[in-house]
Amino acid sequence: MLLNDSMSPLDKAMKIAGFSGMVVSITVALYLIFSASAPEAKTAVLVFSLGAAVALSYLSFAIKSKSRK
């Protein structure tokens, strides 16, 4: 998961800030890319961009590295 009980409050705040920043930047990038192709559907493009950004951000923050032995 994104947050767990063993994290300090500062680590939790930094992880939330990083997640939020990633969502905003991906949303803006996807909105700028797709709004050029569908100029009459701005709301649909924004909703799609936001949903895709949340999904991509969650996947990138939920990845756990495997320890090599």
Side-chain angles (χ1 to χ4, degrees):
M1 296 303 292
L2 292 176
L3 303 173
N4 56 26
D5 294 334
S6 65
M7 297 173 74
S8 70
L10 181 62
D11 287 339
K12 288 180 182 179
M14 290 177 66
K15 199 158 198 179
I16 290 171
F19 181 80
S20 302
M22 185 177 280
V23 167
V24 168
S25 64
I26 292 173
T27 301
V28 168
L30 290 176
Y31 181 78
L32 290 174
I33 291 168
F34 291 125
S35 66
S37 62
E40 67 279 347
K42 297 281 187 185
T43 305
V45 170
L46 180 64
V47 170
F48 168 76
S49 299
L50 185 61
V54 169
L56 289 172
S57 298
Y58 177 77
L59 288 175
S60 66
F61 273 83
I63 294 173
K64 294 183 180 180
S65 62
K66 294 182 180 179
S67 61
R68 296 182 181 183
K69 292 184 180 182

PDB file of all heavy atoms in Angstrom, residues 18-45:
ATOM      1  N   GLY A  18       4.411  13.815  -2.848  1.00  0.00           N
ATOM      2  CA  GLY A  18       4.955  13.268  -4.085  1.00  0.00           C
ATOM      3  C   GLY A  18       3.880  12.662  -4.961  1.00  0.00           C
ATOM      4  O   GLY A  18       3.877  12.838  -6.191  1.00  0.00           O
ATOM      5  N   PHE A  19       2.950  11.950  -4.349  1.00  0.00           N
ATOM      6  CA  PHE A  19       1.838  11.356  -5.087  1.00  0.00           C
ATOM      7  C   PHE A  19       0.977  12.442  -5.718  1.00  0.00           C
ATOM      8  O   PHE A  19       0.615  12.353  -6.894  1.00  0.00           O
ATOM      9  CB  PHE A  19       1.003  10.481  -4.141  1.00  0.00           C
ATOM     10  CG  PHE A  19      -0.155   9.799  -4.803  1.00  0.00           C
ATOM     11  CD1 PHE A  19       0.033   8.649  -5.544  1.00  0.00           C
ATOM     12  CD2 PHE A  19      -1.437  10.305  -4.684  1.00  0.00           C
ATOM     13  CE1 PHE A  19      -1.034   8.012  -6.162  1.00  0.00           C
ATOM     14  CE2 PHE A  19      -2.504   9.686  -5.294  1.00  0.00           C
ATOM     15  CZ  PHE A  19      -2.299   8.536  -6.030  1.00  0.00           C
ATOM     16  N   SER A  20       0.673  13.480  -4.950  1.00  0.00           N
ATOM     17  CA  SER A  20      -0.151  14.577  -5.463  1.00  0.00           C
ATOM     18  C   SER A  20       0.541  15.304  -6.609  1.00  0.00           C
ATOM     19  O   SER A  20      -0.094  15.629  -7.621  1.00  0.00           O
ATOM     20  CB  SER A  20      -0.463  15.574  -4.346  1.00  0.00           C
ATOM     21  OG  SER A  20      -1.113  14.944  -3.288  1.00  0.00           O
ATOM     22  N   GLY A  21       1.825  15.562  -6.460  1.00  0.00           N
ATOM     23  CA  GLY A  21       2.573  16.218  -7.520  1.00  0.00           C
ATOM     24  C   GLY A  21       2.620  15.400  -8.786  1.00  0.00           C
ATOM     25  O   GLY A  21       2.520  15.932  -9.902  1.00  0.00           O
ATOM     26  N   MET A  22       2.755  14.090  -8.625  1.00  0.00           N
ATOM     27  CA  MET A  22       2.788  13.214  -9.793  1.00  0.00           C
ATOM     28  C   MET A  22       1.433  13.194 -10.484  1.00  0.00           C
ATOM     29  O   MET A  22       1.362  13.235 -11.724  1.00  0.00           O
ATOM     30  CB  MET A  22       3.202  11.797  -9.386  1.00  0.00           C
ATOM     31  CG  MET A  22       3.366  10.850 -10.546  1.00  0.00           C
ATOM     32  SD  MET A  22       3.930   9.216 -10.054  1.00  0.00           S
ATOM     33  CE  MET A  22       5.662   9.540  -9.870  1.00  0.00           C
ATOM     34  N   VAL A  23       0.359  13.162  -9.713  1.00  0.00           N
ATOM     35  CA  VAL A  23      -0.990  13.170 -10.295  1.00  0.00           C
ATOM     36  C   VAL A  23      -1.218  14.461 -11.080  1.00  0.00           C
ATOM     37  O   VAL A  23      -1.714  14.430 -12.222  1.00  0.00           O
ATOM     38  CB  VAL A  23      -2.073  12.996  -9.200  1.00  0.00           C
ATOM     39  CG1 VAL A  23      -3.451  13.315  -9.740  1.00  0.00           C
ATOM     40  CG2 VAL A  23      -2.049  11.582  -8.645  1.00  0.00           C
ATOM     41  N   VAL A  24      -0.831  15.592 -10.496  1.00  0.00           N
ATOM     42  CA  VAL A  24      -1.038  16.872 -11.178  1.00  0.00           C
ATOM     43  C   VAL A  24      -0.229  16.938 -12.468  1.00  0.00           C
ATOM     44  O   VAL A  24      -0.740  17.337 -13.521  1.00  0.00           O
ATOM     45  CB  VAL A  24      -0.687  18.044 -10.242  1.00  0.00           C
ATOM     46  CG1 VAL A  24      -0.615  19.352 -10.994  1.00  0.00           C
ATOM     47  CG2 VAL A  24      -1.697  18.142  -9.109  1.00  0.00           C
ATOM     48  N   SER A  25       1.034  16.535 -12.411  1.00  0.00           N
ATOM     49  CA  SER A  25       1.873  16.652 -13.610  1.00  0.00           C
ATOM     50  C   SER A  25       1.426  15.697 -14.716  1.00  0.00           C
ATOM     51  O   SER A  25       1.409  16.080 -15.893  1.00  0.00           O
ATOM     52  CB  SER A  25       3.345  16.414 -13.255  1.00  0.00           C
ATOM     53  OG  SER A  25       3.540  15.097 -12.794  1.00  0.00           O
ATOM     54  N   ILE A  26       1.033  14.491 -14.374  1.00  0.00           N
ATOM     55  CA  ILE A  26       0.553  13.550 -15.390  1.00  0.00           C
ATOM     56  C   ILE A  26      -0.779  14.029 -15.963  1.00  0.00           C
ATOM     57  O   ILE A  26      -1.011  13.934 -17.172  1.00  0.00           O
ATOM     58  CB  ILE A  26       0.435  12.123 -14.814  1.00  0.00           C
ATOM     59  CG1 ILE A  26       1.819  11.565 -14.494  1.00  0.00           C
ATOM     60  CG2 ILE A  26      -0.281  11.194 -15.782  1.00  0.00           C
ATOM     61  CD1 ILE A  26       1.796  10.241 -13.772  1.00  0.00           C
ATOM     62  N   THR A  27      -1.652  14.565 -15.108  1.00  0.00           N
ATOM     63  CA  THR A  27      -2.937  15.075 -15.585  1.00  0.00           C
ATOM     64  C   THR A  27      -2.739  16.211 -16.581  1.00  0.00           C
ATOM     65  O   THR A  27      -3.368  16.234 -17.650  1.00  0.00           O
ATOM     66  CB  THR A  27      -3.801  15.564 -14.407  1.00  0.00           C
ATOM     67  OG1 THR A  27      -4.021  14.474 -13.511  1.00  0.00           O
ATOM     68  CG2 THR A  27      -5.131  16.098 -14.882  1.00  0.00           C
ATOM     69  N   VAL A  28      -1.860  17.145 -16.254  1.00  0.00           N
ATOM     70  CA  VAL A  28      -1.606  18.269 -17.163  1.00  0.00           C
ATOM     71  C   VAL A  28      -1.021  17.770 -18.480  1.00  0.00           C
ATOM     72  O   VAL A  28      -1.440  18.202 -19.564  1.00  0.00           O
ATOM     73  CB  VAL A  28      -0.678  19.307 -16.502  1.00  0.00           C
ATOM     74  CG1 VAL A  28      -0.180  20.323 -17.504  1.00  0.00           C
ATOM     75  CG2 VAL A  28      -1.399  19.997 -15.353  1.00  0.00           C
ATOM     76  N   ALA A  29      -0.071  16.847 -18.401  1.00  0.00           N
ATOM     77  CA  ALA A  29       0.555  16.339 -19.626  1.00  0.00           C
ATOM     78  C   ALA A  29      -0.464  15.625 -20.510  1.00  0.00           C
ATOM     79  O   ALA A  29      -0.533  15.875 -21.724  1.00  0.00           O
ATOM     80  CB  ALA A  29       1.704  15.401 -19.273  1.00  0.00           C
ATOM     81  N   LEU A  30      -1.255  14.738 -19.933  1.00  0.00           N
ATOM     82  CA  LEU A  30      -2.253  14.010 -20.728  1.00  0.00           C
ATOM     83  C   LEU A  30      -3.327  14.943 -21.256  1.00  0.00           C
ATOM     84  O   LEU A  30      -3.799  14.790 -22.390  1.00  0.00           O
ATOM     85  CB  LEU A  30      -2.884  12.889 -19.901  1.00  0.00           C
ATOM     86  CG  LEU A  30      -1.978  11.707 -19.579  1.00  0.00           C
ATOM     87  CD1 LEU A  30      -2.701  10.724 -18.670  1.00  0.00           C
ATOM     88  CD2 LEU A  30      -1.508  11.022 -20.841  1.00  0.00           C
ATOM     89  N   TYR A  31      -3.732  15.934 -20.461  1.00  0.00           N
ATOM     90  CA  TYR A  31      -4.745  16.887 -20.919  1.00  0.00           C
ATOM     91  C   TYR A  31      -4.229  17.683 -22.114  1.00  0.00           C
ATOM     92  O   TYR A  31      -4.961  17.898 -23.081  1.00  0.00           O
ATOM     93  CB  TYR A  31      -5.130  17.822 -19.777  1.00  0.00           C
ATOM     94  CG  TYR A  31      -6.198  18.815 -20.161  1.00  0.00           C
ATOM     95  CD1 TYR A  31      -7.528  18.417 -20.235  1.00  0.00           C
ATOM     96  CD2 TYR A  31      -5.883  20.133 -20.456  1.00  0.00           C
ATOM     97  CE1 TYR A  31      -8.509  19.312 -20.594  1.00  0.00           C
ATOM     98  CE2 TYR A  31      -6.861  21.034 -20.821  1.00  0.00           C
ATOM     99  CZ  TYR A  31      -8.170  20.629 -20.889  1.00  0.00           C
ATOM    100  OH  TYR A  31      -9.141  21.511 -21.251  1.00  0.00           O
ATOM    101  N   LEU A  32      -2.985  18.112 -22.058  1.00  0.00           N
ATOM    102  CA  LEU A  32      -2.435  18.874 -23.172  1.00  0.00           C
ATOM    103  C   LEU A  32      -2.289  18.019 -24.427  1.00  0.00           C
ATOM    104  O   LEU A  32      -2.494  18.495 -25.545  1.00  0.00           O
ATOM    105  CB  LEU A  32      -1.085  19.474 -22.787  1.00  0.00           C
ATOM    106  CG  LEU A  32      -1.142  20.599 -21.753  1.00  0.00           C
ATOM    107  CD1 LEU A  32       0.266  21.002 -21.356  1.00  0.00           C
ATOM    108  CD2 LEU A  32      -1.925  21.770 -22.272  1.00  0.00           C
ATOM    109  N   ILE A  33      -1.963  16.754 -24.248  1.00  0.00           N
ATOM    110  CA  ILE A  33      -1.815  15.862 -25.401  1.00  0.00           C
ATOM    111  C   ILE A  33      -3.166  15.568 -26.045  1.00  0.00           C
ATOM    112  O   ILE A  33      -3.324  15.682 -27.261  1.00  0.00           O
ATOM    113  CB  ILE A  33      -1.116  14.549 -24.982  1.00  0.00           C
ATOM    114  CG1 ILE A  33       0.339  14.819 -24.623  1.00  0.00           C
ATOM    115  CG2 ILE A  33      -1.213  13.507 -26.088  1.00  0.00           C
ATOM    116  CD1 ILE A  33       1.022  13.649 -23.934  1.00  0.00           C
ATOM    117  N   PHE A  34      -4.144  15.186 -25.222  1.00  0.00           N
ATOM    118  CA  PHE A  34      -5.419  14.738 -25.776  1.00  0.00           C
ATOM    119  C   PHE A  34      -6.380  15.874 -26.108  1.00  0.00           C
ATOM    120  O   PHE A  34      -7.311  15.680 -26.892  1.00  0.00           O
ATOM    121  CB  PHE A  34      -6.104  13.750 -24.837  1.00  0.00           C
ATOM    122  CG  PHE A  34      -5.382  12.433 -24.752  1.00  0.00           C
ATOM    123  CD1 PHE A  34      -4.974  11.931 -23.527  1.00  0.00           C
ATOM    124  CD2 PHE A  34      -5.104  11.708 -25.891  1.00  0.00           C
ATOM    125  CE1 PHE A  34      -4.308  10.725 -23.452  1.00  0.00           C
ATOM    126  CE2 PHE A  34      -4.434  10.498 -25.823  1.00  0.00           C
ATOM    127  CZ  PHE A  34      -4.039  10.011 -24.598  1.00  0.00           C
ATOM    128  N   SER A  35      -6.217  17.049 -25.525  1.00  0.00           N
ATOM    129  CA  SER A  35      -7.160  18.132 -25.826  1.00  0.00           C
ATOM    130  C   SER A  35      -6.970  18.668 -27.243  1.00  0.00           C
ATOM    131  O   SER A  35      -7.895  19.244 -27.809  1.00  0.00           O
ATOM    132  CB  SER A  35      -7.019  19.266 -24.816  1.00  0.00           C
ATOM    133  OG  SER A  35      -5.757  19.876 -24.936  1.00  0.00           O
ATOM    134  N   ALA A  36      -5.807  18.477 -27.813  1.00  0.00           N
ATOM    135  CA  ALA A  36      -5.590  18.924 -29.188  1.00  0.00           C
ATOM    136  C   ALA A  36      -6.360  18.056 -30.179  1.00  0.00           C
ATOM    137  O   ALA A  36      -6.791  18.528 -31.228  1.00  0.00           O
ATOM    138  CB  ALA A  36      -4.109  18.889 -29.519  1.00  0.00           C
ATOM    139  N   SER A  37      -6.544  16.784 -29.831  1.00  0.00           N
ATOM    140  CA  SER A  37      -7.237  15.890 -30.754  1.00  0.00           C
ATOM    141  C   SER A  37      -8.760  15.938 -30.605  1.00  0.00           C
ATOM    142  O   SER A  37      -9.472  15.536 -31.511  1.00  0.00           O
ATOM    143  CB  SER A  37      -6.755  14.448 -30.565  1.00  0.00           C
ATOM    144  OG  SER A  37      -7.063  14.005 -29.261  1.00  0.00           O
ATOM    145  N   ALA A  38      -9.253  16.395 -29.450  1.00  0.00           N
ATOM    146  CA  ALA A  38     -10.701  16.466 -29.227  1.00  0.00           C
ATOM    147  C   ALA A  38     -11.056  17.811 -28.600  1.00  0.00           C
ATOM    148  O   ALA A  38     -11.341  17.898 -27.407  1.00  0.00           O
ATOM    149  CB  ALA A  38     -11.144  15.326 -28.325  1.00  0.00           C
ATOM    150  N   PRO A  39     -11.061  18.891 -29.378  1.00  0.00           N
ATOM    151  CA  PRO A  39     -11.280  20.209 -28.796  1.00  0.00           C
ATOM    152  C   PRO A  39     -12.695  20.439 -28.252  1.00  0.00           C
ATOM    153  O   PRO A  39     -12.885  21.289 -27.407  1.00  0.00           O
ATOM    154  CB  PRO A  39     -10.992  21.163 -29.958  1.00  0.00           C
ATOM    155  CG  PRO A  39     -11.157  20.350 -31.174  1.00  0.00           C
ATOM    156  CD  PRO A  39     -10.809  18.942 -30.806  1.00  0.00           C
ATOM    157  N   GLU A  40     -13.674  19.669 -28.686  1.00  0.00           N
ATOM    158  CA  GLU A  40     -15.042  19.887 -28.214  1.00  0.00           C
ATOM    159  C   GLU A  40     -15.359  19.087 -26.948  1.00  0.00           C
ATOM    160  O   GLU A  40     -16.393  19.272 -26.343  1.00  0.00           O
ATOM    161  CB  GLU A  40     -16.059  19.538 -29.313  1.00  0.00           C
ATOM    162  CG  GLU A  40     -16.133  18.068 -29.689  1.00  0.00           C
ATOM    163  CD  GLU A  40     -15.045  17.623 -30.656  1.00  0.00           C
ATOM    164  OE1 GLU A  40     -14.364  18.474 -31.233  1.00  0.00           O
ATOM    165  OE2 GLU A  40     -14.877  16.417 -30.802  1.00  0.00           O
ATOM    166  N   ALA A  41     -14.503  18.197 -26.538  1.00  0.00           N
ATOM    167  CA  ALA A  41     -14.769  17.331 -25.380  1.00  0.00           C
ATOM    168  C   ALA A  41     -13.760  17.590 -24.264  1.00  0.00           C
ATOM    169  O   ALA A  41     -13.087  16.684 -23.796  1.00  0.00           O
ATOM    170  CB  ALA A  41     -14.733  15.881 -25.809  1.00  0.00           C
ATOM    171  N   LYS A  42     -13.673  18.837 -23.812  1.00  0.00           N
ATOM    172  CA  LYS A  42     -12.674  19.213 -22.798  1.00  0.00           C
ATOM    173  C   LYS A  42     -12.926  18.515 -21.463  1.00  0.00           C
ATOM    174  O   LYS A  42     -11.992  18.065 -20.811  1.00  0.00           O
ATOM    175  CB  LYS A  42     -12.666  20.720 -22.585  1.00  0.00           C
ATOM    176  CG  LYS A  42     -12.279  21.511 -23.794  1.00  0.00           C
ATOM    177  CD  LYS A  42     -10.803  21.503 -23.975  1.00  0.00           C
ATOM    178  CE  LYS A  42     -10.427  22.442 -25.105  1.00  0.00           C
ATOM    179  NZ  LYS A  42      -9.044  22.410 -25.418  1.00  0.00           N
ATOM    180  N   THR A  43     -14.178  18.392 -21.045  1.00  0.00           N
ATOM    181  CA  THR A  43     -14.490  17.771 -19.757  1.00  0.00           C
ATOM    182  C   THR A  43     -14.159  16.288 -19.775  1.00  0.00           C
ATOM    183  O   THR A  43     -13.588  15.766 -18.809  1.00  0.00           O
ATOM    184  CB  THR A  43     -15.977  17.973 -19.406  1.00  0.00           C
ATOM    185  OG1 THR A  43     -16.272  19.366 -19.455  1.00  0.00           O
ATOM    186  CG2 THR A  43     -16.285  17.436 -18.032  1.00  0.00           C
ATOM    187  N   ALA A  44     -14.492  15.623 -20.849  1.00  0.00           N
ATOM    188  CA  ALA A  44     -14.193  14.195 -20.953  1.00  0.00           C
ATOM    189  C   ALA A  44     -12.692  13.950 -20.965  1.00  0.00           C
ATOM    190  O   ALA A  44     -12.206  13.005 -20.329  1.00  0.00           O
ATOM    191  CB  ALA A  44     -14.817  13.619 -22.213  1.00  0.00           C
ATOM    192  N   VAL A  45     -11.960  14.810 -21.638  1.00  0.00           N
ATOM    193  CA  VAL A  45     -10.502  14.672 -21.672  1.00  0.00           C
ATOM    194  C   VAL A  45      -9.921  14.901 -20.290  1.00  0.00           C
ATOM    195  O   VAL A  45      -9.018  14.184 -19.855  1.00  0.00           O
ATOM    196  CB  VAL A  45      -9.896  15.647 -22.716  1.00  0.00           C
ATOM    197  CG1 VAL A  45      -8.384  15.710 -22.597  1.00  0.00           C
ATOM    198  CG2 VAL A  45     -10.307  15.239 -24.101  1.00  0.00           C
TER     199      VAL A  45
END
